[in-house]
Amino acid sequence: MISTNIQTREKRERIEKMAVSQKKRRGNLTPYLFISPWIIGFVAFTLGPLLFSFAISFFDYPIVGTPQFIGFDNYVQMFTNDPIFWESLGVTFKFAAILVPLNILISLLLALLLHQNVGGSSWYRTIFYLPTVIAGVSLSLIWAWVYDGEYGLLNYILSWLGIEGPRWLSDPEWSLFAIVFAGLWGQGVMMLVFLSGLKNIPKELYEAAEIDGAGVFSKFFSITLPMLSPTMLFNLITAVISAFQQLTFALVITKGGPLRSTYFYAMYVYENAFRYFKMGYSAANAWFMFLIILSLTFVLFKTSKTWVYNENERKGKK
């Protein structure tokens, strides 16, 4: 009888342990079930195509026909036997060198203006953010009309001032600047990020500086800029990535011309894939672009220690 009771108790304990274990397993699986749509989407539309593009960069991969493994030939040809590769890379670096500093400067100035306590500031924020909600192709068509040498709005306004506007889109001297000006139009997101950063700066710092007799410029360079430097790093990295991926304006407005003055690297990748159907070669181009962006991001992160204010590091040193 005693032996039977012991066996029954052990069986009950074993069943309870199994029930607890099953409940724990279900609890561990629940978060993964919730994020499973994202995981499936990431594998199907990001990781899978990414690995596939890396694999085909070692193939002669026409859309129609049998792919042939050629090793590093696509990369070798890109560096040694393709002048358009270097030309498009130069245009992209030049574009980024002009656009990124202007983007940072203008969005910071707009954020500083909108940070002031003036009436209707929410309306101004909406107005400056609105261009970013317009789709890239629609915005490109608007700018194509603005830059039109004969019927364009910009040259019409310049004529009021007695200035004969240039042929913005057909003159190689002006076409790249025209794309830069158009790229400056979408400042909304960057401006809002700066604005959020400004709002997070403690007011006590400004009050203490005013007691010490600090002026406007002194407060800006001693408080605002250092406290805003992490936000600036974020905006700088996103601006660099965006500049190197610029495609829509050139594709819609200038088609890379005139004389390839707006032939960006992203357009070079696009045309190799969808105009010349050299998918393997285009994949090699795309992976080189990825390495460029990765390198620039790495350099920005490494150099950021010298100019980005870090509250945690400052406390650690103390």
Side-chain angles (χ1 to χ4, degrees), residues 59-74:
F59 283 79
D60 178 9
Y61 200 101
I63 290 181
V64 179
T66 306
Q68 284 186 324
F69 181 75
I70 56 173
F72 288 94
D73 282 5
N74 281 331

Side-chain angles (χ1 to χ4, degrees), residues 139-318:
L139 194 61
S140 301
L141 292 174
I142 293 171
W143 276 105
W145 168 69
V146 170
Y147 284 135
D148 189 281
E150 192 172 353
Y151 305 106
L153 179 66
L154 185 55
N155 280 358
Y156 179 66
I157 293 173
L158 289 175
S159 69
W160 291 351
L161 306 173
I163 301 171
E164 185 180 354
R167 293 173 294 130
W168 295 97
L169 302 178
S170 55
D171 186 343
E173 298 292 329
W174 287 99
S175 54
L176 186 63
F177 294 104
I179 301 293
V180 169
F181 294 147
L184 292 173
W185 188 250
Q187 295 286 339
V189 175
M190 202 176 287
M191 178 199 71
L192 284 182
V193 174
F194 270 131
L195 201 55
S196 301
L198 286 170
K199 289 186 180 301
N200 286 330
I201 299 175
K203 291 181 181 177
E204 293 80 8
L205 294 176
Y206 291 109
E207 291 169 358
E210 286 172 4
I211 292 171
D212 289 340
V216 175
F217 289 103
S218 179
K219 285 190 288 185
F220 176 73
F221 288 107
S222 302
I223 299 173
T224 306
L225 269 186
M227 296 297 288
L228 208 57
S229 55
T231 309
M232 192 172 291
L233 175 64
F234 172 79
N235 275 340
L236 186 58
I237 290 172
T238 54
V240 168
I241 294 172
S242 175
F244 274 85
Q245 292 179 338
Q246 178 58 246
L247 172 65
T248 309
F249 280 127
L251 191 65
V252 176
I253 298 178
T254 61
K255 296 182 172 53
L259 301 176
R260 292 205 181 94
S261 57
T262 59
Y263 196 77
F264 297 113
Y265 192 80
M267 193 165 180
Y268 169 71
V269 176
Y270 171 83
E271 289 205 331
N272 276 327
F274 301 109
R275 184 176 179 186
Y276 306 118
F277 304 118
K278 298 189 291 185
M279 302 301 288
Y281 190 60
S282 177
N285 303 154
W287 272 94
F288 183 67
M289 180 199 276
F290 169 74
L291 289 178
I292 291 175
I293 293 174
L294 188 68
S295 303
L296 290 174
T297 306
F298 177 77
V299 169
L300 286 174
F301 269 117
K302 291 298 286 183
T303 55
S304 67
K305 292 180 180 177
T306 60
W307 60 274
V308 172
Y309 175 78
N310 190 315
E311 180 71 17
N312 293 329
E313 285 186 2
R314 191 183 69 83
K315 287 179 179 176
K317 285 180 181 177
K318 284 185 176 181

Side-chain angles (χ1 to χ4, degrees), residues 42-59 75 283 287:
F42 174 73
V43 172
F45 300 112
T46 302
L47 184 61
L50 197 68
L51 296 176
F52 180 70
S53 73
F54 182 69
I56 68 172
S57 70
F58 299 101
F59 283 79
Y75 293 94
W287 272 94

